[in-house]
Structures are given as C-alpha cells and as structure tokens.
Amino acid sequence: MTPHPTSPLTPPVVLSVAGTDSGGAAGTAADLTTFAALAVHGACVVTAVTAQDTTAVHAVHAVPPAVVAAQVDAVVGDLPLAAVKTGMLGSPAVVEVVGELLPGTPTRPLVVDPVLVATSGAVLGDAAVVAAYVDALLPVATVVTPNVDEARALLGRAADDPTPARDLAGDLALLGPAVLLTGGPDPRDDAPDPCCTDWLALPGAEPRPLRHPRVATRNDHGSGCTYASALAAHLAHGASLATAADRAAAYTTRQLVRSAPWRLGRGRGPVAHVHPLPTGATP
C-alpha cells in the first residue's frame, strides 16, 4: 500500500465505521484505542449504540442510514483518510451506504470486519445483512477479516459445514476482496506450543497460513475488532497486506497476554488497549 501523503509530523487518519460498546471492550472503543496505540489518528462514524457489557448485548439502537451517511460526509469532506475499517453495521441499508461512499482504493484501503455475532453470542447481523455484505460491500473491500463462523455465513454455508478454514478463505476471496480468515488454536493434540493459524487468501492465489501463538485467556472481548483495527492502522502506515497482517497478529497477541490476568467484568473480559507506564512515571 502507498502511504497517505502527510506532513512528517502529521499522523495518518483511519476511519472506524462501527457500533459502540458501553463496556469499552469492542466496537468504536477498541478501534479508537488501537488506532491511538499504533500512531494513527482515529475518526469514527457510529452505526449503532449498544447497551453491552462483558456478558451480553442487552439492547441495540440503530443509527438511521441518513445520519450514518452524514457522518461519513463530514469526515471525508475534512480529513485525508489513509484507511477505513468497518465493524458492526447492523442493517442492509447501512452496509449499502458504506459500500457506496467508502469503497476501497489503492491509497485508501477498506478493511471489512464482518461483525455478525458478538463474543457473548448475540446476533448482530441477520440474513439480510449478510446478503448486503456479499452484494454491496465485499466487492469494493480491500480485505475482509472473518472468523470461521462468519466466513460460513458469508458463503451461505451451514453452521456445521466441515469445509477446512483454508478452503473457506479461498472460496470467500472469489467474491472479490483479499481474505484474512482468523483462526483458533492448532488442532493437533500433541502440539507442545499450540498456535493459531490465520489464512491469507488473495483472489486467484492459493491461501497461505499465518501462524501466531495462542493465548490462554478469557479476556478476549474485542479481539476481533482489535485485530482488524491494527490491520487498518498498519496499512495506513504503508505496510503491505501480508506485513500488516503479521504486525496486527503480533499486536493483538501482545495485548491478549497483557490483559490475561485482569479481573474486569463478570463474563468475557476486555482485551487490553493500554500500555504500562514507564518505570517511575505517574499517571
């Protein structure tokens, strides 16, 4: 990716188009804090307001598509975007607005995190939303970052479809975008150091594995948002897709390790978006 032209003292700008998380773990909270940690300026377009904590999504208030479009117009008309990252979009109309107003370009990559199910299990995108992703957003996306369940949904497969993750990634790339399918631990029972395997698939190319350490933790609420935001931030800095993917995985792994001992909330706790103060520093 070509770096966005800025003054050497001006950070790249990355736009988050996502819902809020009142618990501060996912959505715009995860996106903006990740952007700040990775030296990009974050702007945001709010698509929905959720009443959410570490245990569940208790309520969702959708922002009207016209207001979403107005937010996009305000940001695009004033700030030089180096990348765009989407999260929860919530309705087919909002998916279509994003596809129309923010298509990916060589100098402004569009990272689509197809948030369809929350960490708590709450459904955040129904069949109509999935269809809108396939028809209006994936064809103009630079890269999409689903997990296995989201990849199955986008491909119209059953929840128990046995297709390996590698092949799901390759099939999804046929819809237009590059694919970074995020995976779980290595299934080999005898692996002494269990790893996660993500799959990078480019249209027309064989998918290739990207392995990184698995972190044993229940504090993973927001990890998908964090990974996609880190990916967008590194693309905004000019990294290639493969390099950005490696760096995003390393950042997310490091933050999961940092938050593993935390005791926040009654459910799946948040992934860390903070850094320890230097020795001797005071907040």
Side-chain angles (χ1 to χ4, degrees):
M1 298 295 173
T2 302
H4 197 284
T6 62
S7 159
L9 299 179
T10 303
V13 180
V14 182
L15 173 63
S16 162
V17 185
T20 67
D21 174 1
S22 48
T28 53
D31 294 350
L32 294 177
T33 49
T34 298
F35 294 161
L38 296 175
V40 300
H41 174 74
C44 66
V45 166
V46 175
T47 59
V49 177
T50 73
Q52 185 175 172
D53 56 27
T54 61
T55 67
V57 177
H58 304 286
V60 177
H61 174 73
V63 174
V67 178
V68 173
Q71 293 177 80
V72 172
D73 288 342
V75 173
V76 172
D78 188 45
L79 297 173
L81 296 183
V84 177
K85 179 265 177 186
T86 72
M88 175 189 175
L89 299 179
S91 72
V94 169
V95 174
E96 291 165 4
V97 164
V98 175
E100 179 181 351
L101 298 182
L102 294 168
T105 71
T107 57
R108 192 185 70 189
L110 171 59
V111 177
V112 172
D113 181 15
V115 178
L116 302 174
V117 180
T119 304
S120 62
V123 175
L124 301 175
D126 59 16
V129 170
V130 171
Y133 269 103
V134 172
D135 294 338
L137 195 52
L138 296 192
V140 298
T142 303
V143 58
V144 60
T145 63
N147 58 31
V148 169
D149 291 335
E150 290 162 342
R152 288 175 179 143
L154 292 169
L155 289 166
R157 310 279 175 84
D160 59 353
D161 181 88
T163 303
R166 176 190 183 280
D167 295 334
L168 289 174
D171 291 345
L172 196 55
L174 296 176
L175 299 180
V179 176
L180 271 167
L181 193 153
T182 56
D186 190 306
R188 296 173 299 172
D189 291 337
D190 60 349
D193 183 17
C195 288
C196 296
T197 300
D198 300 336
W199 288 95
L200 172 60
L202 304 178
E206 287 293 316
R208 67 183 184 91
L210 302 174
R211 287 170 56 80
H212 54 88
R214 179 175 68 92
V215 180
T217 178
R218 283 186 55 81
N219 293 333
D220 58 359
H221 187 188
S223 55
C225 302
T226 300
Y227 175 81
S229 297
L231 180 69
H234 286 298
L235 290 174
H237 282 299
S240 68
L241 180 57
T243 298
D246 284 338
R247 291 175 180 172
Y251 171 79
T252 305
T253 299
R254 185 168 65 248
Q255 300 310 109
L256 285 166
V257 170
R258 181 158 289 142
S259 62
W262 287 7
R263 296 294 179 267
L264 289 177
R266 295 172 289 115
R268 301 286 283 275
V271 60
H273 294 115
V274 297
H275 295 266
L277 290 169
T279 303
T282 57

